[in-house]
Amino acid sequence: MKVSFFSFLQSKKCYCDSKKQGIDERLLSVLVCPSSQQALRWLLEDELPRLNSAVEMGFLCFRNGTPVRQVIKQGLIREDEKILYVCEDGIPVLLKSRGIRLLWA
């Protein structure tokens, strides 16, 4: 039986407790990707090192092609795991142009 990466990661420890980020679980449940309307989930703690290594090597780009240059601390990942939206000061930046294309997608 094939298990999606998303399903596997749902069982892992979440990097961010939504209460610590100032986002109520009810609000998180209605937030969706601005381009696909897919559900979003919190970035997981064990995903951070791989993402930030890719940032350091210049492999991650925003959807508009601009390279990501800042370290990723928190974020929301689209259900299909193709796009990450970074949180700045605990606030998700859900703009199409600020979505980051993920390498493993």
Side-chain angles (χ1 to χ4, degrees):
M1 181 174 156
K2 186 176 179 180
V3 177
S4 77
F5 186 65
F6 178 70
S7 299
F8 171 74
L9 289 177
Q10 283 180 322
S11 65
K12 299 290 184 181
K13 182 180 176 190
C14 182
Y15 171 65
C16 301
D17 177 0
S18 62
K19 293 186 185 340
K20 290 179 186 173
Q21 291 193 22
I23 296 177
D24 185 89
E25 282 297 321
R26 292 173 294 174
L27 176 58
L28 180 60
S29 71
V30 297
L31 290 178
V32 295
C33 172
S35 60
S36 71
Q37 307 307 306
Q38 290 181 45
L40 300 169
R41 65 165 175 82
W42 288 117
L43 178 65
L44 302 176
E45 183 177 10
D46 57 351
E47 294 171 313
L48 276 175
R50 184 169 62 168
L51 286 171
N52 285 317
S53 291
V55 168
E56 287 177 21
M57 292 185 274
F59 292 151
L60 289 185
C61 292
F62 293 104
R63 294 181 77 180
N64 64 8
T66 306
V68 176
R69 303 211 188 277
Q70 290 186 316
V71 171
I72 297 168
K73 296 177 183 173
Q74 344 176 287
L76 296 171
I77 296 179
R78 197 166 77 180
E79 188 173 37
D80 67 1
E81 302 166 3
K82 293 183 179 180
I83 302 291
L84 165 72
Y85 294 96
V86 174
C87 293
E88 295 177 4
D89 298 321
I91 301 169
V93 181
L94 297 176
L95 301 171
K96 289 182 186 182
S97 63
R98 299 297 293 171
I100 298 171
R101 289 180 268 159
L102 297 177
L103 298 174
W104 61 76

XYZ file of all heavy atoms in Angstrom:
846
model
N 0.847 -1.186 0.000
C 0.000 0.000 0.000
C 0.890 1.246 0.000
O 1.778 1.393 0.817
C -0.878 -0.024 1.242
C -1.804 1.138 1.344
S -2.890 0.879 2.759
C -3.312 2.526 3.085
N 0.639 2.138 -0.908
C 1.421 3.367 -1.027
C 0.904 4.418 -0.059
O -0.284 4.698 0.003
C 1.331 3.882 -2.470
C 2.221 5.050 -2.732
C 2.160 5.451 -4.188
C 3.047 6.638 -4.424
N 3.022 7.073 -5.799
N 1.812 4.995 0.722
C 1.461 6.051 1.677
C 2.114 7.341 1.203
O 3.302 7.357 0.894
C 1.960 5.690 3.092
C 1.659 6.805 4.061
C 1.337 4.387 3.556
N 1.352 8.409 1.141
C 1.917 9.679 0.685
C 2.832 10.262 1.750
O 2.710 9.967 2.939
C 0.816 10.680 0.359
O 0.287 11.228 1.532
N 3.770 11.061 1.309
C 4.696 11.737 2.205
C 3.913 12.607 3.186
O 4.221 12.669 4.357
C 5.681 12.574 1.385
C 6.765 13.211 2.197
C 7.716 12.443 2.849
C 6.851 14.587 2.293
C 8.718 13.035 3.587
C 7.857 15.180 3.031
C 8.794 14.399 3.682
N 2.864 13.241 2.695
C 2.025 14.091 3.544
C 1.408 13.280 4.676
O 1.453 13.668 5.832
C 0.935 14.763 2.707
C -0.004 15.617 3.515
C 0.422 16.810 4.067
C -1.306 15.234 3.724
C -0.431 17.603 4.815
C -2.164 16.022 4.462
C -1.723 17.217 5.008
N 0.861 12.097 4.371
C 0.254 11.246 5.389
C 1.289 10.799 6.411
O 1.033 10.784 7.609
C -0.379 10.018 4.747
O -1.385 10.406 3.868
N 2.469 10.442 5.934
C 3.544 10.019 6.816
C 3.921 11.145 7.772
O 4.083 10.936 8.968
C 4.755 9.599 5.994
C 5.984 9.354 6.812
C 6.112 8.228 7.589
C 7.018 10.279 6.812
C 7.248 8.007 8.350
C 8.152 10.078 7.563
C 8.265 8.929 8.341
N 4.063 12.353 7.252
C 4.498 13.465 8.078
C 3.439 13.916 9.068
O 3.759 14.517 10.078
C 4.927 14.644 7.209
C 6.234 14.445 6.463
C 6.507 15.647 5.584
C 7.393 14.196 7.400
N 2.175 13.640 8.785
C 1.131 14.033 9.722
C 1.330 13.361 11.078
O 0.923 13.889 12.100
C -0.251 13.690 9.169
C -0.706 14.652 8.110
C -2.063 14.297 7.586
O -2.400 13.139 7.428
N -2.861 15.320 7.316
N 1.969 12.213 11.070
C 2.193 11.506 12.322
C 3.431 12.014 13.054
O 3.681 11.638 14.187
C 2.353 10.012 12.045
O 3.519 9.785 11.276
N 4.247 12.861 12.424
C 5.471 13.386 13.025
C 5.177 14.603 13.890
O 4.119 15.207 13.801
C 6.475 13.781 11.930
C 6.907 12.630 11.062
C 7.766 11.691 11.841
C 8.289 10.592 10.951
N 9.095 9.643 11.645
N 6.150 14.996 14.684
C 6.014 16.161 15.564
C 5.978 17.443 14.737
O 6.827 17.668 13.895
C 7.191 16.199 16.530
C 7.130 17.327 17.514
C 8.323 17.313 18.432
C 8.289 18.509 19.338
N 9.530 18.672 20.067
N 5.006 18.256 14.994
C 4.877 19.524 14.289
C 5.868 20.533 14.848
O 6.067 20.614 16.052
C 3.455 20.045 14.433
S 3.138 21.577 13.562
N 6.501 21.282 13.960
C 7.485 22.282 14.373
C 6.852 23.373 15.213
O 7.437 23.878 16.138
C 8.155 22.897 13.148
C 9.027 24.074 13.474
C 10.165 23.922 14.255
C 8.700 25.346 13.046
C 10.962 24.994 14.583
C 9.495 26.425 13.364
C 10.619 26.239 14.130
O 11.394 27.303 14.446
N 5.648 23.735 14.883
C 5.041 24.894 15.531
C 3.703 24.535 16.136
O 2.854 23.972 15.472
C 4.814 26.001 14.515
S 6.312 26.524 13.722
N 3.530 24.871 17.363
C 2.235 24.786 18.006
C 1.462 26.028 17.569
O 1.932 27.143 17.740
C 2.429 24.765 19.515
C 1.127 24.744 20.289
O 0.048 24.745 19.668
O 1.198 24.721 21.528
N 0.288 25.825 17.004
C -0.448 26.969 16.456
C -0.751 28.016 17.523
O -0.824 29.191 17.232
C -1.735 26.502 15.784
O -2.575 25.878 16.718
N -0.938 27.617 18.763
C -1.195 28.594 19.816
C 0.029 29.471 20.042
O -0.078 30.649 20.289
C -1.598 27.884 21.092
C -2.951 27.194 20.982
C -3.368 26.623 22.307
C -4.635 25.816 22.273
N -5.540 25.973 21.218
N 1.225 28.892 19.938
C 2.447 29.669 20.086
C 2.600 30.653 18.934
O 3.195 31.691 19.068
C 3.665 28.750 20.139
C 3.753 27.936 21.400
C 4.978 27.048 21.356
C 5.006 26.124 22.557
N 6.085 25.148 22.454
N 2.080 30.298 17.777
C 2.197 31.170 16.619
C 1.076 32.200 16.567
O 1.084 33.058 15.707
C 2.164 30.343 15.329
C 3.404 29.516 15.175
C 3.517 28.968 13.793
O 2.927 29.493 12.853
N 4.273 27.939 13.640
N 0.120 32.089 17.449
C -0.956 33.057 17.469
C -2.069 32.754 16.491
O -2.906 33.590 16.238
N -2.082 31.545 15.954
C -3.133 31.179 15.010
C -3.985 30.084 15.645
O -3.488 29.031 16.002
C -2.550 30.680 13.675
C -1.793 31.813 13.000
C -3.652 30.161 12.756
C -1.125 31.423 11.721
N -5.236 30.345 15.790
C -6.178 29.398 16.343
C -6.327 28.212 15.389
O -6.278 28.380 14.177
C -7.523 30.124 16.526
C -8.546 29.262 17.197
O -8.598 29.275 18.439
O -9.284 28.564 16.471
N -6.519 27.013 15.935
C -6.696 25.808 15.115
C -7.879 25.950 14.157
O -7.832 25.447 13.043
C -6.883 24.574 15.999
C -5.614 24.048 16.593
C -4.599 23.556 15.564
O -4.993 22.934 14.551
O -3.421 23.814 15.768
N -8.931 26.624 14.589
C -10.087 26.814 13.704
C -9.715 27.658 12.495
O -10.150 27.394 11.390
C -11.251 27.450 14.464
C -11.850 26.516 15.515
C -12.864 27.211 16.354
N -12.138 28.237 17.122
C -12.694 29.130 17.890
N -13.990 29.177 18.000
N -11.962 30.007 18.558
N -8.885 28.684 12.726
C -8.443 29.518 11.614
C -7.548 28.714 10.683
O -7.690 28.777 9.467
C -7.703 30.753 12.119
C -7.105 31.665 11.050
C -8.184 32.165 10.091
C -6.382 32.822 11.684
N -6.625 27.938 11.250
C -5.751 27.120 10.422
C -6.556 26.162 9.557
O -6.207 25.924 8.401
C -4.752 26.345 11.291
C -3.779 25.452 10.532
C -2.923 26.264 9.563
C -2.897 24.686 11.502
N -7.644 25.647 10.086
C -8.452 24.687 9.330
C -9.134 25.317 8.109
O -9.516 24.597 7.191
C -9.490 24.029 10.229
O -10.503 24.943 10.581
N -9.261 26.642 8.079
C -9.886 27.282 6.918
C -8.880 27.954 5.993
O -9.232 28.380 4.897
C -10.974 28.304 7.332
C -12.107 27.620 8.060
C -10.399 29.436 8.134
N -7.615 28.062 6.428
C -6.598 28.633 5.549
C -6.290 27.652 4.428
O -6.132 26.450 4.667
C -5.306 28.930 6.317
C -5.359 30.069 7.322
C -4.017 30.192 8.032
C -5.723 31.372 6.648
N -6.197 28.151 3.213
C -5.902 27.300 2.059
C -4.878 27.988 1.158
O -4.646 29.197 1.271
C -7.179 26.990 1.234
C -8.166 26.166 2.028
C -7.823 28.261 0.722
N -4.291 27.208 0.284
C -3.364 27.750 -0.697
C -4.115 28.732 -1.603
O -5.198 28.409 -2.096
C -2.785 26.605 -1.520
S -1.793 27.151 -2.928
N -3.554 29.915 -1.829
C -4.254 30.899 -2.651
C -4.387 30.511 -4.125
O -5.257 31.021 -4.808
C -3.407 32.163 -2.503
C -2.084 31.708 -2.040
C -2.297 30.433 -1.301
N -3.554 29.603 -4.604
C -3.656 29.240 -6.019
C -4.434 27.953 -6.259
O -5.175 27.857 -7.232
C -2.267 29.136 -6.657
O -1.498 28.161 -6.010
N -4.294 26.958 -5.374
C -4.956 25.668 -5.615
C -6.136 25.397 -4.688
O -6.870 24.441 -4.903
C -3.946 24.533 -5.449
O -3.603 24.391 -4.076
N -6.277 26.191 -3.641
C -7.311 26.009 -2.614
C -7.122 24.726 -1.810
O -8.040 24.283 -1.131
C -8.722 26.029 -3.239
C -9.021 27.233 -4.110
C -8.743 28.559 -3.410
O -9.253 28.794 -2.336
N -7.946 29.410 -4.008
N -5.918 24.130 -1.863
C -5.635 22.936 -1.075
C -5.398 23.309 0.384
O -4.966 24.421 0.681
C -4.397 22.223 -1.608
C -4.601 21.574 -2.947
C -3.347 20.860 -3.397
O -2.715 20.163 -2.622
N -2.988 21.040 -4.651
N -5.621 22.343 1.268
C -5.383 22.545 2.694
C -3.892 22.769 2.957
O -3.043 22.374 2.149
C -5.869 21.327 3.472
N -3.602 23.407 4.081
C -2.220 23.669 4.488
C -1.971 23.002 5.829
O -2.895 22.813 6.618
C -1.985 25.174 4.611
C -2.204 25.992 3.339
C -2.212 27.477 3.676
C -1.141 25.680 2.310
N -0.721 22.660 6.087
C -0.328 22.104 7.372
C 0.939 22.806 7.826
O 1.656 23.397 7.026
C -0.098 20.602 7.286
C 1.083 20.233 6.392
C 1.494 18.796 6.610
N 2.538 18.407 5.698
C 3.840 18.657 5.867
N 4.251 19.316 6.924
N 4.730 18.253 4.980
N 1.247 22.719 9.139
C 2.459 23.340 9.656
C 3.694 22.621 9.155
O 3.702 21.410 8.984
C 2.471 23.330 11.184
C 1.500 24.280 11.802
C 0.437 23.956 12.581
C 1.502 25.704 11.683
N -0.221 25.097 12.959
C 0.409 26.184 12.420
C 2.319 26.613 11.024
C 0.112 27.541 12.533
C 2.026 27.958 11.130
C 0.927 28.402 11.874
N 4.744 23.369 8.964
C 6.062 22.834 8.678
C 6.506 22.002 9.877
O 6.315 22.412 11.018
C 7.028 23.997 8.454
C 8.479 23.704 8.182
C 8.625 22.967 6.856
C 9.271 24.987 8.145
N 7.089 20.847 9.627
C 7.512 19.956 10.698
C 8.959 20.215 11.089
O 9.772 20.635 10.260
C 7.347 18.498 10.278
C 5.929 18.088 9.885
C 5.905 16.660 9.391
C 4.980 18.269 11.047
N 9.257 19.941 12.334
C 10.594 20.187 12.873
C 11.676 19.482 12.059
O 12.730 20.055 11.786
C 10.640 19.726 14.327
C 11.934 19.991 15.020
C 11.882 19.586 16.478
O 10.915 18.938 16.917
O 12.837 19.935 17.185
N 11.423 18.248 11.646
C 12.450 17.504 10.916
C 12.564 17.915 9.443
O 13.461 17.453 8.740
C 12.257 15.999 11.059
C 10.894 15.509 10.607
O 10.014 16.340 10.329
O 10.706 14.280 10.553
N 11.701 18.789 8.972
C 11.803 19.301 7.604
C 12.709 20.531 7.508
O 13.220 20.840 6.443
C 10.413 19.656 7.060
C 9.518 18.456 6.878
C 8.090 18.839 6.542
O 7.530 19.722 7.214
O 7.557 18.244 5.599
N 12.881 21.233 8.617
C 13.653 22.484 8.612
C 15.095 22.340 8.138
O 15.528 23.121 7.290
C 13.640 23.119 9.997
C 12.433 23.981 10.316
C 12.491 24.440 11.760
C 12.346 25.159 9.389
N 15.871 21.372 8.636
C 17.270 21.289 8.203
C 17.413 21.101 6.690
O 18.249 21.742 6.055
C 17.821 20.081 8.961
C 16.930 19.929 10.146
C 15.579 20.406 9.695
N 16.579 20.254 6.119
C 16.652 20.015 4.666
C 16.275 21.269 3.884
O 16.935 21.635 2.910
C 15.755 18.845 4.286
C 15.870 18.482 2.818
C 15.212 17.189 2.502
N 13.783 17.249 2.768
C 12.938 16.331 2.366
N 13.362 15.278 1.726
N 11.664 16.453 2.613
N 15.238 21.952 4.317
C 14.827 23.179 3.630
C 15.899 24.255 3.731
O 16.237 24.902 2.739
C 13.516 23.707 4.216
C 12.257 22.934 3.851
C 11.090 23.430 4.665
C 11.972 23.054 2.371
N 16.451 24.450 4.918
C 17.449 25.500 5.086
C 18.770 25.164 4.404
O 19.474 26.064 3.951
C 17.615 25.839 6.561
C 16.448 26.662 7.062
O 15.993 27.581 6.379
N 15.937 26.341 8.221
N 19.096 23.884 4.273
C 20.269 23.494 3.470
C 20.046 23.865 2.009
O 20.951 24.365 1.337
C 20.528 21.991 3.581
O 20.966 21.661 4.862
N 18.833 23.629 1.527
C 18.504 23.984 0.145
C 18.550 25.502 -0.053
O 18.975 25.976 -1.108
C 17.130 23.440 -0.230
N 18.143 26.267 0.959
C 18.221 27.730 0.891
C 19.683 28.144 0.792
O 20.057 28.954 -0.066
C 17.553 28.398 2.119
C 17.887 29.878 2.178
C 16.052 28.195 2.086
N 20.531 27.592 1.657
C 21.962 27.933 1.658
C 22.633 27.628 0.325
O 23.514 28.352 -0.117
C 22.685 27.178 2.774
C 22.387 27.687 4.158
C 23.061 26.857 5.238
O 24.052 26.158 4.922
O 22.604 26.907 6.379
N 22.208 26.538 -0.315
C 22.807 26.148 -1.594
C 22.177 26.870 -2.784
O 22.602 26.691 -3.913
C 22.702 24.644 -1.777
C 23.577 23.881 -0.799
S 23.570 22.114 -1.110
C 22.129 21.615 -0.193
N 21.138 27.655 -2.524
C 20.490 28.406 -3.598
C 19.528 27.590 -4.438
O 19.215 27.956 -5.567
N 19.029 26.483 -3.899
C 18.149 25.589 -4.653
C 16.672 25.939 -4.569
O 15.898 25.503 -5.398
C 18.324 24.142 -4.212
C 19.650 23.548 -4.560
C 20.192 22.546 -3.780
C 20.368 23.973 -5.667
C 21.414 21.981 -4.090
C 21.588 23.417 -5.985
C 22.116 22.418 -5.198
N 16.273 26.698 -3.559
C 14.856 27.021 -3.413
C 14.539 28.372 -4.029
O 15.282 29.334 -3.852
C 14.438 27.037 -1.946
C 14.358 25.699 -1.225
C 13.816 25.898 0.177
C 13.519 24.704 -1.973
N 13.412 28.413 -4.737
C 12.967 29.659 -5.378
C 11.495 29.892 -5.073
O 10.727 28.954 -4.895
C 13.125 29.559 -6.889
S 14.827 29.515 -7.439
N 11.147 31.170 -5.029
C 9.739 31.533 -4.966
C 9.105 31.179 -6.306
O 9.800 30.948 -7.296
C 9.575 33.028 -4.675
C 10.029 33.417 -3.299
C 11.243 34.064 -3.107
C 9.252 33.133 -2.186
C 11.670 34.424 -1.836
C 9.665 33.485 -0.907
C 10.879 34.129 -0.740
N 7.799 31.160 -6.358
C 7.089 30.790 -7.588
C 7.430 31.714 -8.755
O 7.380 31.301 -9.899
C 5.588 30.787 -7.343
C 5.208 29.672 -6.365
C 3.769 29.634 -6.118
N 3.128 29.019 -7.267
C 1.833 28.837 -7.377
N 1.050 29.223 -6.413
N 1.321 28.271 -8.437
N 7.838 32.937 -8.449
C 8.184 33.867 -9.529
C 9.633 33.705 -10.002
O 10.107 34.464 -10.833
C 7.913 35.315 -9.101
C 8.783 35.758 -7.940
O 9.701 35.063 -7.525
N 8.484 36.926 -7.410
N 10.349 32.724 -9.425
C 11.720 32.444 -9.856
C 12.805 33.109 -9.030
O 13.984 32.805 -9.199
N 12.445 33.998 -8.126
C 13.417 34.668 -7.267
C 13.959 33.682 -6.235
O 13.177 32.985 -5.590
C 12.751 35.847 -6.527
O 12.135 36.700 -7.478
C 13.760 36.619 -5.698
N 15.276 33.609 -6.065
C 15.827 32.686 -5.064
C 15.438 33.072 -3.634
O 15.340 34.243 -3.307
C 17.340 32.812 -5.235
C 17.559 33.534 -6.509
C 16.316 34.304 -6.815
N 15.217 32.053 -2.810
C 14.956 32.271 -1.386
C 16.306 32.494 -0.722
O 17.228 31.711 -0.897
C 14.250 31.051 -0.758
C 14.056 31.237 0.732
C 12.925 30.786 -1.456
N 16.441 33.568 0.040
C 17.720 33.898 0.662
C 17.684 33.874 2.183
O 18.714 33.804 2.822
C 18.188 35.260 0.184
C 18.314 35.338 -1.329
C 19.396 36.282 -1.759
N 19.398 36.496 -3.193
C 19.983 35.694 -4.063
N 20.597 34.614 -3.656
N 19.951 35.957 -5.355
N 16.498 33.931 2.776
C 16.386 33.958 4.234
C 16.146 32.562 4.790
O 15.477 31.735 4.164
C 15.236 34.861 4.665
C 15.515 36.329 4.424
C 14.423 37.191 4.999
O 13.245 36.893 4.843
N 14.802 38.267 5.661
N 16.688 32.324 5.974
C 16.476 31.059 6.666
C 14.985 30.910 6.963
O 14.314 31.868 7.338
C 17.295 31.037 7.979
C 16.940 29.834 8.825
C 18.772 31.065 7.669
N 14.475 29.712 6.791
C 13.064 29.429 7.060
C 12.935 28.984 8.511
O 13.618 28.059 8.948
C 12.543 28.345 6.099
C 12.620 28.859 4.660
C 11.124 27.940 6.468
C 12.399 27.800 3.615
N 12.061 29.654 9.249
C 11.856 29.330 10.664
C 10.510 28.667 10.904
O 10.387 27.811 11.762
C 11.967 30.591 11.519
C 13.346 31.212 11.479
C 13.388 32.484 12.285
C 14.750 33.139 12.166
N 14.789 34.450 12.804
N 9.492 29.105 10.172
C 8.149 28.554 10.303
C 7.470 28.659 8.955
O 7.819 29.504 8.143
C 7.266 29.284 11.307
C 7.907 30.185 12.272
C 6.915 30.924 13.142
O 6.246 31.824 12.675
N 6.854 30.563 14.397
N 6.473 27.814 8.764
C 5.740 27.901 7.513
C 4.592 26.929 7.440
O 4.407 26.074 8.309
N 3.830 27.085 6.394
C 2.712 26.204 6.080
C 2.991 25.547 4.739
O 3.379 26.214 3.776
C 1.406 27.001 6.014
C 0.957 27.666 7.309
C -0.221 28.588 7.049
C 0.585 26.623 8.345
N 2.796 24.238 4.678
C 3.042 23.484 3.454
C 1.706 23.059 2.879
O 0.816 22.585 3.603
C 3.918 22.247 3.727
C 5.296 22.683 4.204
C 4.027 21.366 2.496
C 6.226 21.546 4.529
N 1.592 23.208 1.565
C 0.381 22.793 0.862
C 0.227 21.275 0.951
O 1.208 20.536 1.022
C 0.480 23.247 -0.593
C -0.829 23.243 -1.329
C -0.721 24.000 -2.614
N -0.031 23.207 -3.621
C 0.207 23.645 -4.849
N -0.172 24.853 -5.214
N 0.829 22.889 -5.710
N -0.987 20.799 0.944
C -1.297 19.379 1.122
C -0.551 18.471 0.135
O -0.119 17.385 0.507
C -2.803 19.177 0.979
C -3.273 17.799 1.318
C -4.781 17.718 1.311
O -5.429 18.359 0.462
O -5.308 17.004 2.168
N -0.352 18.920 -1.096
C 0.369 18.089 -2.070
C 1.886 18.228 -1.965
O 2.622 17.627 -2.732
C -0.080 18.389 -3.500
C 0.291 19.784 -3.971
O 0.928 20.549 -3.210
O -0.064 20.119 -5.117
N 2.336 19.026 -0.999
C 3.755 19.208 -0.669
C 4.578 19.885 -1.765
O 5.795 19.769 -1.780
C 4.396 17.867 -0.319
C 3.709 17.188 0.817
C 4.116 15.752 0.949
O 4.968 15.278 0.201
O 3.555 15.094 1.832
N 3.951 20.623 -2.640
C 4.669 21.288 -3.721
C 5.029 22.731 -3.397
O 5.940 23.278 -3.992
C 3.860 21.228 -5.014
C 3.729 19.828 -5.555
C 2.978 19.814 -6.862
C 2.888 18.396 -7.383
N 2.159 18.333 -8.651
N 4.309 23.347 -2.479
C 4.508 24.769 -2.177
C 4.548 24.977 -0.665
O 3.758 24.397 0.084
C 3.366 25.636 -2.775
C 3.266 25.462 -4.287
C 3.536 27.108 -2.403
C 4.420 26.045 -5.069
N 5.476 25.845 -0.231
C 5.601 26.248 1.164
C 5.334 27.747 1.249
O 5.825 28.512 0.415
C 7.016 25.956 1.676
C 7.435 26.620 2.984
C 6.717 25.962 4.163
C 8.928 26.545 3.172
N 4.562 28.140 2.236
C 4.333 29.557 2.516
C 4.994 29.867 3.857
O 4.668 29.253 4.866
C 2.838 29.885 2.569
C 2.175 29.704 1.225
C 1.519 28.527 0.918
C 2.256 30.694 0.264
C 0.932 28.344 -0.330
C 1.675 30.521 -0.986
C 1.015 29.346 -1.272
O 0.458 29.167 -2.503
N 5.937 30.786 3.862
C 6.680 31.139 5.060
C 5.805 31.982 5.985
O 4.970 32.764 5.531
C 7.957 31.922 4.672
C 8.689 32.432 5.894
C 8.873 31.041 3.833
N 6.020 31.808 7.291
C 5.375 32.654 8.291
C 6.395 33.687 8.743
O 7.533 33.342 9.047
C 4.917 31.832 9.487
S 3.608 30.680 9.109
N 6.003 34.927 8.742
C 6.857 36.016 9.224
C 6.242 36.556 10.502
O 5.101 37.007 10.489
C 6.973 37.110 8.160
C 7.693 36.618 6.908
C 7.760 37.655 5.810
O 7.307 38.806 6.029
O 8.243 37.308 4.733
N 6.978 36.473 11.599
C 6.487 36.877 12.922
C 5.190 36.170 13.280
O 4.274 36.758 13.844
C 6.312 38.394 12.993
C 7.622 39.129 12.796
O 8.642 38.643 13.325
O 7.624 40.174 12.132
N 5.094 34.879 12.899
C 3.921 34.079 13.220
C 2.742 34.281 12.295
O 1.696 33.674 12.485
N 2.898 35.106 11.265
C 1.798 35.394 10.333
C 2.113 34.760 8.982
O 3.127 35.093 8.357
C 1.592 36.905 10.166
C 1.276 37.525 11.524
C 0.492 37.200 9.148
C 1.301 39.025 11.530
N 1.270 33.831 8.497
C 1.515 33.206 7.194
C 1.378 34.228 6.064
O 0.427 34.999 6.024
C 0.424 32.147 7.072
C -0.168 32.013 8.428
C 0.099 33.285 9.156
N 2.354 34.232 5.167
C 2.317 35.110 3.999
C 1.751 34.282 2.848
O 2.472 33.589 2.148
C 3.719 35.663 3.664
C 3.641 36.596 2.473
C 4.319 36.371 4.872
N 0.426 34.368 2.685
C -0.268 33.537 1.703
C -0.495 34.292 0.395
O -1.615 34.460 -0.068
C -1.595 33.034 2.284
C -1.477 32.129 3.503
C -2.845 31.779 4.052
C -0.690 30.881 3.158
N 0.598 34.707 -0.208
C 0.556 35.354 -1.516
C 1.112 34.381 -2.545
O 2.128 33.727 -2.302
C 1.399 36.631 -1.513
C 1.000 37.708 -0.512
C 2.043 38.811 -0.482
C -0.366 38.263 -0.880
N 0.459 34.290 -3.704
C 0.923 33.358 -4.739
C 2.402 33.558 -5.056
O 3.158 32.596 -5.158
C 0.096 33.522 -6.022
C -1.303 33.019 -5.912
C -2.024 33.188 -7.238
C -3.477 32.823 -7.115
N -4.180 32.942 -8.388
N 2.815 34.778 -5.202
C 4.192 35.062 -5.589
C 5.196 34.714 -4.490
O 6.386 34.554 -4.767
C 4.348 36.542 -5.957
O 4.069 37.360 -4.844
N 4.745 34.576 -3.234
C 5.649 34.269 -2.114
C 5.662 32.779 -1.771
O 6.326 32.367 -0.822
C 5.250 35.091 -0.880
C 5.321 36.577 -1.083
C 6.708 37.076 -1.381
N 7.564 36.903 -0.215
C 8.873 37.079 -0.221
N 9.487 37.412 -1.321
N 9.570 36.912 0.868
N 4.953 31.976 -2.535
C 5.007 30.527 -2.349
C 6.373 30.019 -2.802
O 6.919 30.472 -3.800
N 6.934 29.071 -2.064
C 8.250 28.515 -2.384
C 8.048 27.120 -2.958
O 7.391 26.271 -2.343
C 9.135 28.438 -1.117
C 9.359 29.842 -0.558
C 10.440 27.724 -1.417
C 10.032 29.857 0.809
N 8.602 26.900 -4.152
C 8.524 25.575 -4.775
C 9.426 24.605 -4.018
O 10.602 24.899 -3.820
C 8.922 25.633 -6.239
C 7.881 26.339 -7.094
C 8.314 26.386 -8.520
N 9.038 27.662 -8.666
C 9.908 27.913 -9.614
N 10.215 27.001 -10.493
N 10.498 29.085 -9.668
N 8.892 23.462 -3.626
C 9.678 22.503 -2.864
C 10.331 21.474 -3.784
O 9.734 21.027 -4.751
C 8.796 21.803 -1.824
C 8.224 22.760 -0.765
C 7.307 22.019 0.183
C 9.344 23.453 0.003
N 11.539 21.095 -3.440
C 12.365 20.224 -4.268
C 11.830 18.813 -4.370
O 11.942 18.175 -5.411
C 13.787 20.169 -3.723
C 14.549 21.483 -3.698
C 15.883 21.303 -2.991
C 14.787 21.957 -5.127
N 11.271 18.291 -3.270
C 10.870 16.889 -3.291
C 9.538 16.669 -3.973
O 9.108 15.554 -4.148
C 10.849 16.308 -1.883
C 9.895 16.978 -0.945
C 8.548 16.844 -0.895
C 10.247 17.902 0.078
N 8.028 17.622 0.094
C 9.045 18.271 0.721
C 11.449 18.445 0.536
C 9.023 19.170 1.787
C 11.409 19.327 1.588
C 10.214 19.686 2.203
N 8.858 17.719 -4.371
C 7.537 17.593 -4.999
C 7.657 17.239 -6.472
O 8.622 17.483 -7.120
C 6.756 18.880 -4.834
